[in-house]
Amino acid sequence: MGTDYARRLADTVMRRYPKAEQYPYRDWCYPQGYLLIGFSRLWKATGEERYRDYIYEYCDSHVNREGEITGFKGSSMDDMMAGSILVWMYEQTGEEKYARACRRIYEAFQDYPRTREGGFWHGRKGVPGQMWVDGVFMGQMFYCRYGRAFGETACFDEAAKQLELIYRYCHVHDGMLVHAYCEDSQAPWAGEDGKSSCVWSEGLGWYALILCEVLDLAPGEHPVRAVAERQLKELLKGLLEVQDDTGLWYQVVDRPRDADNWCDVSGSAMFTYAFFRGLRSGLVSGEAYERAAEKGYEGIRGRMTENEEGLLDVHGACEGLCVQKSYEDYVYYPQKVNGQEAVCGCFWAAIAAEWGENRI
């Protein structure tokens, strides 16, 4: 398939944001973790040191000798997620300051609020009793990487719990999960059963990605692997049935024929990554899955255009979308060119399509 898009996206990001802390929307938050894990994979694939150096500069500038992290508050799952790249950095360098920084984030989970059954709230404040599919990705991206790097097998026990709970709370059909759950149904978007209204593309994409990450990171004998395998197989099978002819998936995934629904490149990129991951691991097989992955990547490429400066623009996604009350709120939410999540999603998908097994 060639290697143009992965490198071109990386180079576009580096030209627009010479330092990763400039990447929207804060200098320490989940977009940096999402972006830089992609850079770590591209560096592994290509050996081009400029990609590694982009990560190193970010980590070094955010962590002092005592392991204190500029910008980290431990106030939300989004805040935890950026720590994923610090675990990677520790694995590369062995520097004690990164071990200390990772420990700070790990310890921030210890008093973090949970639902009555043990699911992490999406944030410490403002979202009481709420568990979001995005939050499972954000929290467990760090937790599983920490567990592998520091030999904390309890991290994988926790990952199994969080995956089982989000499935129990949010699953509706065919492996698909609605965006969020509120245990007392007090949130303005919550139905009587506590569930939000819609299967949102990017939210379901975060869920697909964390299932893939767990399979990459968990010890071979740990029960969390069976949980992730079961859920990912069910999800990929369900996604086969609602993929558009363009290769993309809809903003509200399971309602492709409803009024004004549109194909979202951010979630579609996440699903495409998951199809490639499932195929290469042998979790799924056959022409239907291969076609879904190839069509998905074709659809994603169709949403990337070169501008007059020679940079890639990514079209057809929202940015920073929180849980919405209704179908209409999801489909009429404003789209933005180069939304931070969409760029990262396309980057991950391009690396998976063009560089195969280069995962970390």
Side-chain angles (χ1 to χ4, degrees):
M1 291 185 181
T3 59
D4 282 345
Y5 284 91
R7 275 199 178 103
R8 288 177 69 194
L9 281 167
D11 294 347
T12 290
V13 167
M14 293 172 74
R15 283 178 60 188
R16 284 185 171 137
Y17 312 103
K19 294 185 177 182
E21 68 178 20
Q22 299 168 322
Y23 195 72
Y25 69 109
R26 298 174 183 163
D27 65 349
W28 174 274
C29 201
Y30 73 90
Q32 279 81 19
Y34 195 13
L35 176 71
L36 294 176
I37 291 296
F39 267 85
S40 73
R41 291 171 175 160
L42 188 60
W43 173 62
K44 181 183 178 185
T46 66
E48 294 185 32
E49 292 185 358
R50 61 201 176 105
Y51 300 138
R52 181 203 64 188
D53 293 348
Y54 191 66
I55 308 170
Y56 273 40
E57 191 283 331
Y58 178 79
C59 295
D60 187 59
S61 68
H62 274 74
V63 180
N64 67 18
R65 293 180 64 180
E66 287 70 44
E68 296 169 334
I69 308 163
T70 302
F72 175 70
K73 297 179 176 63
S75 59
S76 71
M77 288 293 109
D78 292 351
D79 201 28
M80 306 294 196
M81 193 280 177
S84 302
I85 200 61
L86 298 186
V87 180
W88 179 88
M89 191 71 176
Y90 171 73
E91 291 177 313
Q92 305 307 304
T93 68
E95 289 187 41
E96 182 61 24
K97 73 173 188 176
Y98 294 117
R100 291 173 181 163
C102 293
R103 186 70 184 179
R104 288 177 188 275
I105 300 173
Y106 177 70
E107 289 175 350
F109 280 89
Q110 305 313 303
D111 67 348
Y112 196 89
R114 297 172 180 255
T115 66
R116 286 185 288 272
E117 293 179 283
F120 288 121
W121 293 8
H122 191 68
R124 286 183 184 268
K125 297 180 180 179
V127 288
Q130 295 180 29
M131 194 176 182
W132 300 8
V133 286
D134 357 358
V136 178
F137 172 83
M138 304 302 170
Q140 298 313 304
M141 274 287 287
F142 173 81
Y143 230 61
C144 289
R145 287 172 181 274
Y146 185 91
R148 182 184 68 172
F150 294 94
E152 291 278 0
T153 56
C155 290
F156 298 104
D157 299 338
E158 187 66 72
K161 175 188 287 187
Q162 299 304 312
L163 291 178
E164 293 278 26
L165 286 173
I166 199 65
Y167 187 92
R168 184 188 311 165
Y169 291 157
C170 293
H171 181 257
V172 282
H173 62 84
D174 300 307
M176 297 187 187
L177 278 60
V178 294
H179 191 172
Y181 168 81
C182 179
E183 65 181 349
D184 292 320
S185 301
Q186 297 301 305
W189 44 257
E192 291 183 3
D193 58 0
K195 295 178 181 178
S196 62
S197 61
C198 291
V199 180
W200 172 45
S201 173
E202 190 182 290
L204 192 66
W206 293 123
Y207 170 65
L209 292 186
I210 194 55
L211 296 176
C212 295
E213 292 295 298
V214 167
L215 292 175
D216 286 345
L217 297 167
E221 70 283 359
H222 197 282
V224 72
R225 297 189 64 86
V227 175
E229 287 178 357
R230 181 178 69 250
Q231 292 184 11
L232 185 57
K233 285 180 72 173
E234 186 181 12
L235 174 61
L236 294 179
K237 183 179 179 181
L239 288 170
L240 287 177
E241 304 303 317
V242 288
Q243 187 177 22
D244 186 65
D245 290 342
T246 62
L248 302 176
W249 284 265
Y250 283 81
Q251 171 78 337
V252 178
V253 179
D254 58 344
R255 297 170 65 173
R257 296 175 183 84
D258 284 19
D260 297 328
N261 206 356
W262 49 277
C263 289
D264 162 52
V265 74
S266 184
S268 295
M270 295 163 158
F271 301 149
T272 298
Y273 174 90
F275 272 102
F276 278 115
R277 169 64 181 80
L279 284 162
R280 289 181 175 136
S281 69
L283 183 67
V284 295
S285 61
E287 183 180 348
Y289 291 95
E290 293 170 3
R291 187 169 60 250
E294 292 164 3
K295 282 179 59 181
Y297 192 48
E298 181 181 351
I300 291 163
R301 295 198 308 271
R303 291 292 184 88
M304 292 187 280
T305 60
E306 185 176 308
N307 66 21
E308 64 278 2
E309 298 175 323
L311 304 178
L312 286 180
D313 288 330
V314 177
H315 302 264
C318 302
E319 180 179 77
L321 193 157
C322 295
V323 187
Q324 302 296 299
K325 294 181 183 179
S326 68
Y327 171 84
E328 289 75 19
D329 290 333
Y330 281 101
V331 299
Y332 298 134
Y333 199 90
Q335 297 180 35
K336 181 178 179 180
V337 178
N338 296 325
Q340 63 222 18
E341 299 91 351
V343 171
C344 292
C346 290
F347 187 36
W348 277 39
I351 297 167
E354 297 169 356
W355 294 98
E357 290 300 307
N358 291 286
R359 300 187 306 275
I360 296 177

